[in-house]
Structures are given as structure tokens and as C-alpha cells.
Amino acid sequence: MKNHLSPDPAAAPSAVAPPGSALLYAATLAVALLALPALTGCADTGGIAPQARLRDTATLVAPGAPDVAVAPDWWRAFGDAQLDALVQQALDGNPGLRQAQARIARAEAFTHAARAALGPQVNASTDLMRQRYSENGPYPPGQAGSVLSIDTARLSGSWEIDFFGKNRAALESALGTARAARADADAARLLLAANVVHAYLQLARLQEQLQVAERTLAQRGEMLRLVRQRVSAGLDTRLELRQSEGALPEARQQIEALREQAALTRNALGALIAEPKTALALTPKALEAIKSEAIPAALPADLLGRRPDVAAARWRVEAATQDVAVARAQFYPNVSLTAFVGLASMGLDRFIEGGSREWGVGPALRLPIFDAGRLRANLAGKSADLDAAVESYNAALLDAVRDTADQLASSASVERQIAEQRQAGEAAESAYAIARKRYEAGLGSYLQVLSAETQVLAQRRQAVDLAARRLDTQAAVMRALGGGYAAS
């Protein structure tokens, strides 16, 4: 604060406060505090309240369901060291996870800022100014036309008394947002690991499908050679010849399609692990060498508490609830205490004299009287945000139950399909073996052997797809069960 000379030096305020001034300040503060209950009557929040209700989780999961433990590094259960390294590489270097970490840091910074509002604020200031005063201005003799220094040094403080919990609610809102950000990061980590596993298993499937497709191409080439011999001998017509000729480009087209899918899968995997070159040089393990584990047949009882996406949605509800409390508290008085102490003088030579001391202390009370509906609109908006957060949470609950139920149903169905396919494959292999024995004994033609092999190759393609689906579904179940998530 800048202090100017008074026309009458005797009229300048004394550095020592009058004896009753401290009592006067205390009395003023007491009156202000006692008036708060009456002043709060000015708050008008009628007709504004959230409408949405949280879904009861007990109605979504049947009681008595089995408990299933999922390890945080669940992908290691596949027993593939190469896959483990790829997942770890993705978790260490994926830009999406780094963005999630940045969002956590931002949310925690807001939390620190909200916590700081609960405590007192202390500031220090110093002003040094050299000024010439106008001779024709409203300045007294001795100051008019002179050049003087205006010097101040002050230590000031303030403390907002949080009577109605506005700052505490703001802190709880910031904490909820930070916890939601951490849960979002865990959800992103889980999804990233699941996507890496999925891409790796797809690459392994395509690798084995290519082997079957290349054998199919060779087999069709042998069939074409035999059909040509039979046409030359008059045993077959050009119809059989043209059908056999058309089978070769069809097989080559299937091979090219598989190669395209493999290239796209490698590109996707390279983006996930942030190392495209590593994905291009990758040779996946054979599907039969990758371990599979038993999958539960029913939803676990604590499913909704172990999914990070559900936890994030619940924390957003908490943050939105506290935002409504902040908006409601803004209708009530704002009480704060301010104080300062320092030195002020006109002229640096008198700056450290005892008479240059100054101090001040007192309460401040602010109450909204008329704001043209701004506070009500803000409260209505925060209430709508809370409704949206609650419905988002309810949707997350329903989606979590559906997702897990879908994966468990797929897992059970794949196991049944594998059992049926195994029988069909054994029958095709047996027919192929009989055809070979008949051919070796001179009782059948080699064309019959190749025809029987066609069924064997078809069953092998199905076996590869089902083996990959079994492993992929296992990964999907682990993701749907929360991937070992535990709220920090």
C-alpha cells in the first residue's frame, strides 16, 4: 500500500492502534459470524436436484458366484517368453499410456491446488518508486514540486474460513477426478496388454493358416496333373480339367489374402509396442505350444469391483457429486480473514524508522444477493453433469456384465466346437489313411488319395482357427475380469 503525506502531519495515523481498536475488530468479526445463519436464508436452490440413481449391483450378478483370481501379469500364463517381452515393451513405450500418465499428473496437480485452498495464504511484497509531484496538483507545500521516494514492504496473509464446505468439496472433487484418471490409466494398460496378446495370437494363426494354404496349393497342383493325364487317356472331360485349373488361382488368392492379413497384423502389433521393426521380424510360437487355462463357467461375485473402467466411472460420480456441493455452497456467504504488517514511508531515509510501521487485520464477508440467475444456472449444470456421470456408471456396469458374459459364453462354445472338430478331424485323417492304403495296395487311384486329403486340409484350417480362438478368448476373459486390477 502506498502512503501519501497528509497536509497536517499531526493528522497522520499513529503507528500504535487505539486501545479499543482490537476489541472493535473482534466484535465486528463476532457479529459477522453470528449473522451467517440469517444470511444463508438468501440462498435459493429450490427445484434444482440430480435425478439419476445409481444401479444396484446386486441385481446384475447372481449371489454365490465363484471367485476367480486373475494375476496382474495374466499374459504370462500363456508360457511364451516372446509374448511376455512384447507386452512389457508395449507397457513401457506406448504413447497412449504416456498420455494417460500425463492426465494423472494433471489431475494430481489440481488436487494439490484444491488442498491449498483450505489453508492460509501468505504473500510478501516490496515497492520502491521515485516520483516527482506536480507543483499545480493537490499536494501540500513541501511535497508539491519535490521528488520523493515512496517505499513499502509488506507481509500479508489471508484465510478463507470454509464454513459451508465449499473448499472441502472442491478437494474431494479433485481427488475423485485423480482417482478416475488412475483407474483410466489401469484400464488403458489392461486394454493395451489384451490387444498385444490378440495381435500376437492372430499372427500365430495366420502363420499356421499359411502353411495349410501352401499345402493346399501343392495338393491342387498334383490334382491338376492327374486330371490332365486322365483327360489324355479319355477318362475325364474338359469339365473336370477346367474345374481343376480354376482351383489353383483360388488357392493362390487365399495365400495372398493371408499374407495381407499377416502384414496388417504385424503393422498393428508394431504400433502397439512402438517398435515396427521388431514386429516385422517376429516369428510367433506355434499355437499348440502356447498354454491355455481353464475358464470359469459363471460370473464372479466381485466382478464389478475388479474392473478399472467401472471404478473410473464410479469415481467420476463421486467427483460430480462434490461439484454439485461446490455449486450449492456458492449460494452461501464467503467469510475470510485478512491481515498485513509492514513498513511504508515517503523517503527512503525514514523507511526503517519506528513511525513507518503499519498493520491491519479484519474479516471480510461476501454474500451473493442478485446475480441474474448465474448461480442457479451453474448448480443446474453441475446437477446435469452428475446425472450424466451416474448414467455413464450404470452403462459401464451393464457393459461389464455383458462383456464378461459374452466372453464366458464364447469360451464354453469354443470348447464344444473344438471337441466336435476333433472328432471330424480324426474321421478325415482316418479316411485319408484308408485311401493311401488302398492306393498302395493298387485298389484305388492317387486321385482318391488327394480328394481325401482335401477334407483333412479343411479340418486343419478349422483346427487352427479354433485353437487361436481358444487362446484369444482366454485373453478376452482375463481382460473382462479386470486383468488383476486392484484400486490403489
Side-chain angles (χ1 to χ4, degrees), residues 271-314:
L272 291 171
I273 65 175
E275 286 290 343
K277 291 183 179 180
T278 300
L280 292 176
L282 181 65
T283 301
K285 204 173 183 178
L287 289 173
E288 63 181 8
I290 302 176
K291 298 178 182 178
S292 62
E293 292 189 342
I295 301 298
L299 295 174
D302 60 342
L303 165 67
L304 302 178
R306 60 171 73 190
R307 284 187 53 124
D309 55 342
V310 174
R314 186 63 183 86

XYZ file of all heavy atoms in Angstrom, residues 271-314:
314
model
N 2.756 -50.973 -33.970
C 2.259 -49.721 -33.385
C 1.982 -49.887 -31.894
O 2.220 -48.972 -31.106
C 0.993 -49.273 -34.119
N 1.489 -51.050 -31.486
C 1.179 -51.280 -30.078
C 2.438 -51.287 -29.217
O 2.449 -50.738 -28.114
C 0.426 -52.604 -29.915
C -1.002 -52.649 -30.466
C -1.537 -54.072 -30.433
C -1.913 -51.727 -29.677
N 3.494 -51.910 -29.731
C 4.728 -51.991 -28.940
C 5.665 -50.835 -29.233
O 6.751 -50.752 -28.636
C 5.450 -53.326 -29.190
C 5.938 -53.426 -30.642
C 4.550 -54.498 -28.845
C 6.762 -54.671 -30.928
N 5.271 -49.936 -30.148
C 6.068 -48.756 -30.517
C 7.405 -49.139 -31.123
O 8.364 -48.368 -31.060
C 6.271 -47.839 -29.299
N 7.480 -50.337 -31.742
C 8.703 -50.790 -32.408
C 8.312 -51.566 -33.665
O 8.264 -52.801 -33.655
C 9.538 -51.669 -31.471
C 10.262 -50.930 -30.372
C 11.403 -50.072 -30.911
O 11.819 -50.296 -32.054
O 11.846 -49.173 -30.177
N 8.016 -50.869 -34.777
C 7.589 -51.571 -36.000
C 8.604 -52.592 -36.503
O 8.223 -53.661 -37.004
C 7.394 -50.433 -37.005
C 7.140 -49.227 -36.158
C 7.965 -49.417 -34.928
N 9.894 -52.310 -36.388
C 10.906 -53.236 -36.894
C 10.876 -54.560 -36.146
O 11.080 -55.625 -36.739
C 12.293 -52.594 -36.789
C 12.505 -51.423 -37.732
C 13.926 -50.885 -37.613
C 14.144 -49.722 -38.575
N 15.529 -49.180 -38.472
N 10.634 -54.504 -34.850
C 10.556 -55.735 -34.066
C 9.409 -56.614 -34.537
O 9.552 -57.841 -34.659
C 10.378 -55.399 -32.579
O 11.485 -54.622 -32.136
C 10.284 -56.657 -31.734
N 8.265 -56.012 -34.834
C 7.103 -56.779 -35.291
C 7.342 -57.393 -36.662
O 6.888 -58.509 -36.942
C 5.869 -55.884 -35.312
N 8.058 -56.684 -37.537
C 8.297 -57.205 -38.889
C 9.175 -58.454 -38.862
O 9.047 -59.326 -39.724
C 8.948 -56.118 -39.749
C 8.061 -54.908 -40.093
C 8.851 -53.867 -40.870
C 6.835 -55.348 -40.885
N 10.069 -58.534 -37.893
C 10.987 -59.678 -37.815
C 10.488 -60.772 -36.881
O 11.207 -61.743 -36.626
C 12.361 -59.190 -37.348
N 9.259 -60.667 -36.413
C 8.742 -61.571 -35.385
C 8.287 -62.898 -35.994
O 7.639 -62.935 -37.042
C 7.565 -60.903 -34.672
C 6.898 -61.687 -33.551
C 7.867 -61.890 -32.395
C 5.652 -60.949 -33.079
N 8.632 -63.982 -35.330
C 8.133 -65.314 -35.684
C 7.399 -65.875 -34.472
O 8.039 -66.285 -33.494
C 9.277 -66.260 -36.075
O 9.984 -65.705 -37.190
C 8.736 -67.631 -36.457
N 6.077 -65.898 -34.495
C 5.329 -66.343 -33.304
C 5.546 -67.823 -33.016
O 5.917 -68.614 -33.888
C 3.873 -66.067 -33.686
C 3.926 -65.159 -34.858
C 5.196 -65.458 -35.568
N 5.284 -68.165 -31.789
C 5.335 -69.542 -31.361
C 4.156 -70.313 -31.951
O 3.107 -69.738 -32.255
C 5.275 -69.574 -29.827
C 5.852 -70.803 -29.180
C 5.880 -70.593 -27.667
C 6.531 -71.767 -26.960
N 6.588 -71.529 -25.492
N 4.307 -71.626 -32.132
C 3.193 -72.429 -32.632
C 2.045 -72.404 -31.632
O 2.251 -72.380 -30.411
C 3.654 -73.858 -32.872
N 0.824 -72.437 -32.155
C -0.346 -72.342 -31.284
C -0.400 -73.478 -30.271
O -0.760 -73.275 -29.111
C -1.619 -72.340 -32.135
C -1.883 -71.065 -32.949
C -3.077 -71.274 -33.867
C -2.131 -69.877 -32.025
N -0.047 -74.673 -30.694
C -0.116 -75.818 -29.785
C 0.913 -75.729 -28.662
O 0.771 -76.391 -27.626
C 0.082 -77.119 -30.554
C 1.447 -77.235 -31.209
C 1.614 -78.530 -31.980
O 0.626 -79.269 -32.125
O 2.738 -78.799 -32.419
N 1.955 -74.882 -28.835
C 2.975 -74.718 -27.802
C 2.607 -73.637 -26.794
O 3.306 -73.465 -25.798
C 4.321 -74.388 -28.445
N 1.532 -72.895 -27.074
C 1.077 -71.846 -26.151
C 0.068 -72.453 -25.197
O -0.902 -73.087 -25.607
C 0.456 -70.667 -26.930
C 1.482 -70.085 -27.914
C -0.016 -69.590 -25.971
C 0.922 -68.984 -28.794
N 0.279 -72.243 -23.905
C -0.563 -72.861 -22.893
C -1.944 -72.197 -22.839
O -2.085 -71.007 -23.090
C 0.096 -72.758 -21.516
C 1.432 -73.486 -21.408
C 2.022 -73.285 -20.019
C 3.381 -73.953 -19.898
N 3.990 -73.724 -18.561
N -2.932 -72.978 -22.484
C -4.275 -72.451 -22.228
C -4.714 -72.910 -20.848
O -4.297 -73.971 -20.377
C -5.266 -72.932 -23.290
O -5.374 -74.338 -23.262
N -5.546 -72.121 -20.204
C -6.001 -72.422 -18.861
C -7.512 -72.575 -18.832
O -8.224 -72.093 -19.731
C -5.563 -71.320 -17.886
C -4.064 -71.256 -17.667
C -3.696 -70.312 -16.539
O -4.537 -69.470 -16.168
O -2.571 -70.421 -16.029
N -7.996 -73.202 -17.782
C -9.437 -73.377 -17.614
C -10.100 -72.031 -17.349
O -9.552 -71.176 -16.656
C -9.725 -74.348 -16.474
N -11.270 -71.846 -17.913
C -12.023 -70.597 -17.783
C -13.234 -70.847 -16.900
O -13.898 -71.887 -17.018
C -12.472 -70.096 -19.173
C -11.251 -69.866 -20.067
C -13.284 -68.823 -19.053
C -10.297 -68.828 -19.560
N -13.572 -69.920 -15.967
C -14.762 -70.118 -15.126
C -16.029 -70.163 -15.963
O -16.101 -69.588 -17.056
C -14.749 -68.894 -14.202
C -13.943 -67.872 -14.941
C -12.895 -68.646 -15.692
N -17.018 -70.861 -15.440
C -18.259 -71.024 -16.187
C -19.306 -69.983 -15.837
O -20.339 -69.896 -16.499
C -18.821 -72.425 -15.937
N -19.069 -69.166 -14.785
C -20.066 -68.179 -14.352
C -19.373 -66.896 -13.952
O -18.157 -66.863 -13.726
C -20.884 -68.729 -13.184
N -20.155 -65.833 -13.863
C -19.607 -64.537 -13.468
C -19.172 -64.569 -12.011
O -19.913 -65.054 -11.151
C -20.677 -63.446 -13.644
C -21.151 -63.158 -15.060
C -22.294 -62.158 -15.005
C -20.024 -62.615 -15.902
N -17.987 -64.057 -11.688
C -17.576 -63.974 -10.286
C -18.401 -62.943 -9.540
O -18.880 -61.964 -10.101
C -16.101 -63.560 -10.372
C -15.971 -62.888 -11.697
C -16.949 -63.575 -12.605
N -18.544 -63.156 -8.233
C -19.414 -62.288 -7.430
C -18.887 -60.863 -7.348
O -19.664 -59.910 -7.271
C -19.576 -62.882 -6.031
N -17.569 -60.711 -7.331
C -16.997 -59.368 -7.169
C -16.517 -58.794 -8.490
O -15.576 -58.011 -8.528
C -15.843 -59.408 -6.167
C -14.717 -60.338 -6.631
O -14.981 -61.175 -7.521
O -13.597 -60.230 -6.110
N -17.178 -59.172 -9.587
C -16.756 -58.725 -10.921
C -16.667 -57.210 -11.024
O -15.671 -56.654 -11.493
C -17.741 -59.260 -11.969
C -17.656 -58.597 -13.360
C -16.340 -58.948 -14.024
C -18.818 -59.029 -14.228
N -17.709 -56.506 -10.546
C -17.800 -55.072 -10.788
C -16.792 -54.282 -9.973
O -16.526 -53.129 -10.277
C -19.221 -54.593 -10.488
C -20.302 -55.307 -11.316
C -21.678 -54.807 -10.931
C -20.059 -55.119 -12.801
N -16.234 -54.910 -8.931
C -15.229 -54.220 -8.140
C -13.817 -54.409 -8.655
O -12.890 -53.784 -8.148
N -13.640 -55.263 -9.645
C -12.299 -55.553 -10.125
C -12.060 -55.063 -11.552
O -11.033 -55.396 -12.149
C -12.032 -57.056 -10.029
C -12.989 -57.902 -10.849
C -12.549 -59.364 -10.911
N -12.744 -60.081 -9.667
C -12.256 -61.300 -9.451
N -11.547 -61.903 -10.379
N -12.488 -61.908 -8.306
N -12.982 -54.295 -12.106
C -12.786 -53.749 -13.453
C -12.421 -52.273 -13.353
O -13.151 -51.473 -12.757
C -14.066 -53.929 -14.287
C -14.252 -55.356 -14.776
C -15.420 -55.470 -15.719
N -15.383 -54.550 -16.820
C -15.437 -54.921 -18.106
N -15.460 -56.215 -18.421
N -15.457 -54.025 -19.050
N -11.308 -51.855 -13.953
C -10.896 -50.459 -13.837
C -11.834 -49.485 -14.528
O -11.976 -48.347 -14.078
C -9.501 -50.453 -14.486
C -9.469 -51.663 -15.364
C -10.327 -52.677 -14.691
N -12.504 -49.906 -15.604
C -13.420 -48.978 -16.274
C -14.623 -48.672 -15.390
O -15.097 -47.531 -15.345
C -13.872 -49.542 -17.628
C -14.478 -50.930 -17.509
O -14.251 -51.612 -16.484
O -15.180 -51.357 -18.449
N -15.105 -49.663 -14.652
C -16.221 -49.439 -13.726
C -15.763 -48.557 -12.564
O -16.482 -47.649 -12.131
C -16.774 -50.780 -13.219
C -17.841 -50.554 -12.150
C -17.355 -51.589 -14.369
N -14.545 -48.816 -12.064
C -14.020 -47.993 -10.965
C -13.866 -46.542 -11.400
O -14.190 -45.615 -10.639
C -12.677 -48.551 -10.504
N -13.392 -46.319 -12.622
C -13.235 -44.949 -13.118
C -14.586 -44.247 -13.207
O -14.727 -43.073 -12.829
C -12.550 -44.961 -14.483
N -15.601 -44.971 -13.691
C -16.940 -44.375 -13.788
C -17.486 -44.038 -12.407
O -18.136 -42.999 -12.218
C -17.884 -45.335 -14.509
N -17.198 -44.893 -11.419
C -17.691 -44.624 -10.057
C -17.000 -43.405 -9.458
O -17.643 -42.597 -8.766
C -17.441 -45.861 -9.171
C -18.051 -45.714 -7.772
C -19.556 -45.597 -7.855
N -20.157 -45.380 -6.538
C -20.301 -44.197 -5.965
N -19.876 -43.103 -6.590
N -20.875 -44.084 -4.787
